[in-house]
Amino acid sequence: MRGTFPLGTVAGVRVLAHWSALGLAALIVALLGGAVLPRALPGAGPGAYWTVALAAGILFMAALLVHELAHAVVARRCGLKVGSITLWGLGGFTELEEQAETPRVELAVAAAGPLTSLGVAAVGFLVYLVLPRPALPASAVAWLAGMNLLLGVFNLLPGAPLDGGRVLHALLWWRFRDVRRADRGAEQAGRALGMALIAIGVFGTLALGWFGGLWLLVLGWFIIGAARQELTVKVARSGLRDLSVRDVMTPDPERAAAWVTVEEFADQVALNSRQTDFPVVSFAGTPIGVVSLAALASVPPERRGATRVDSLDITRRPMRVVAPDDDATSLIERPALRQLIVVVEEGRLVGMVTGADLERILRQAFLRADRPGP
């Protein structure tokens, strides 16, 4: 996901935060400090409200992280590779670099997060019982326990991409011994869940004047889109299972030598090429960046003869490096907009994967996946 920044490493897993996570945290603090706590205990004073609200907001974001860490820890214990955890405006997600090979593993990984949230809620309610009341800390703990209970229950709703959708997928996979049937069943359940949330949101907003209905509208729309995208990735992954990057890449692409001038490269290569992006290579043939036609054209004509390619900002465009013998499914595991994929073997550029290459293999993957299996 673009727009993220690192928070560190927890239990060996890289943790990132999207900018929208800051908005979520600010919304929680504002809700607690401006409404929930003043109603629960009037007359405590603004300083006390906002101090407790800030602490509760931090604890809530920590609870979201614990939820995702549960997924990551169980996945690693089951032998799956975990990429990272990202917190964002609608909660968080754990990036798994491998898919579960059995329904039992998928069920364990999927259920770990909601069960952890329910456990956190139970601990919160126990803490609430022993705290003195009425008091702001007790009110904040009760709110946190209730939100974790809601988080655990909501995530168990049976529809992709929620954890409950993955639980449903594992159960369908186990019942029918057909992962493709499970894929479509989880996607259909996710679409139905999203439409139900949208209907409730519309009714709540228009008929009851409930502001929370807008949140359900956004959430339902997101679930429908994410369920469709998840099915697309799964079907594509199935169709690409026996291919390598070498089968997909454009071999020996036109490249820009770092030391040539913009004018020389334009006359000899760029003006006669069908490419819009060119890997920039060093003397050793190793890719060190990307230069686009737009970047070349931005150099004033009178300066092109004296401007070397490597003096341009060739690192602005994201570049991902893969090996030719990597599994082709790796190309769709972590897709990134505007990211050029270059293929390197023994330190030298041997190919690149363009947007047209990705579109072609995805269409071919759907053709392969739709064929009857043995």
Side-chain angles (χ1 to χ4, degrees):
M1 178 182 291
R2 301 183 66 188
T4 59
F5 53 91
L7 294 180
T9 301
V10 181
V13 180
R14 191 164 55 106
V15 179
L16 307 171
H18 187 254
W19 62 265
S20 59
L22 299 178
L24 175 61
L27 179 63
I28 290 171
V29 173
L31 179 65
L32 284 170
V36 174
L37 295 179
R39 290 177 185 171
L41 197 67
Y49 291 140
W50 291 109
T51 299
V52 174
L54 179 61
I58 293 173
L59 289 175
F60 180 78
M61 299 305 293
L64 289 180
L65 176 58
V66 169
H67 176 110
E68 298 303 326
L69 278 173
H71 289 305
V73 170
V74 173
R76 287 172 56 178
R77 289 185 177 178
C78 291
L80 302 179
K81 294 181 180 179
V82 179
S84 62
I85 291 173
T86 302
L87 300 179
W88 70 304
L90 290 178
F93 66 88
T94 301
E95 178 194 20
L96 300 181
E97 297 181 352
E98 297 176 299
Q99 297 300 306
E101 296 185 356
T102 66
R104 177 176 294 182
V105 171
E106 183 176 41
L107 179 62
V109 174
L115 293 179
T116 298
S117 292
L118 294 176
V120 171
V123 171
F125 284 123
L126 291 176
V127 172
Y128 171 76
L129 293 176
V130 301
L131 287 175
R133 298 184 300 276
L136 285 178
S139 298
V141 168
W143 184 88
L144 285 169
M147 291 302 295
N148 276 280
L149 176 62
L150 180 62
L151 178 65
V153 171
F154 180 79
N155 269 279
L156 284 174
L157 291 177
L162 299 177
D163 296 330
R166 294 186 173 92
V167 169
L168 174 64
H169 182 274
L171 295 176
L172 291 174
W173 186 7
W174 171 81
R175 172 66 179 82
F176 298 108
R177 300 289 188 256
D178 186 344
V179 70
R180 296 180 187 174
R181 184 171 179 176
D183 291 343
R184 287 176 170 80
E187 188 269 341
Q188 290 170 0
R191 191 167 57 226
L193 176 62
M195 293 176 65
L197 291 175
I198 290 175
I200 295 172
V202 170
F203 176 79
T205 303
L206 299 181
L208 305 178
W210 178 43
F211 179 75
L214 296 176
W215 179 254
L216 289 182
L217 277 170
V218 173
L219 193 58
W221 172 81
F222 166 77
I223 288 175
I224 291 174
R228 185 181 299 112
Q229 181 181 16
E230 191 167 287
L231 175 63
T232 299
V233 171
K234 286 182 176 180
V235 174
R237 186 184 295 116
S238 175
L240 295 174
R241 185 169 50 233
D242 299 323
L243 297 180
S244 68
V245 171
R246 194 186 302 274
D247 299 319
V248 175
M249 71 181 188
T250 297
D252 195 27
E254 292 167 330
R255 65 207 69 189
W259 59 91
V260 302
T261 65
V262 171
E263 183 177 64
E264 181 182 356
F265 178 68
D267 291 340
Q268 295 180 1
V269 179
L271 291 176
N272 303 306
S273 175
R274 293 181 178 272
Q275 293 177 204
T276 57
D277 295 289
F278 303 88
V280 179
V281 297
S282 65
F283 281 105
T286 303
I288 58 175
V290 182
V291 66
S292 65
L293 284 176
L296 295 169
S298 68
V299 180
E302 66 275 10
R303 293 178 50 195
R304 292 172 186 170
T307 302
R308 288 176 33 145
V309 168
D310 60 0
S311 68
L312 305 177
D313 190 359
I314 60 175
T315 61
R316 178 180 300 176
R317 171 80 182 272
M319 181 179 70
R320 179 178 166 198
V321 179
V322 298
D325 294 325
D326 286 351
D327 196 318
T329 57
S330 65
L331 299 174
I332 62 171
E333 294 293 344
R334 290 175 289 166
L337 295 175
R338 300 180 64 250
Q339 186 181 63
L340 183 68
I341 302 176
V342 296
V343 187
V344 175
E345 186 175 32
E346 297 181 354
R348 298 181 64 86
L349 176 73
V350 296
M352 76 178 188
V353 181
T354 66
D357 293 329
L358 285 176
E359 182 178 0
R360 183 187 72 252
I361 64 165
L362 286 175
R363 293 185 184 278
Q364 291 173 346
F366 274 91
L367 284 175
R368 291 189 186 93
D370 287 341
R371 291 175 182 172

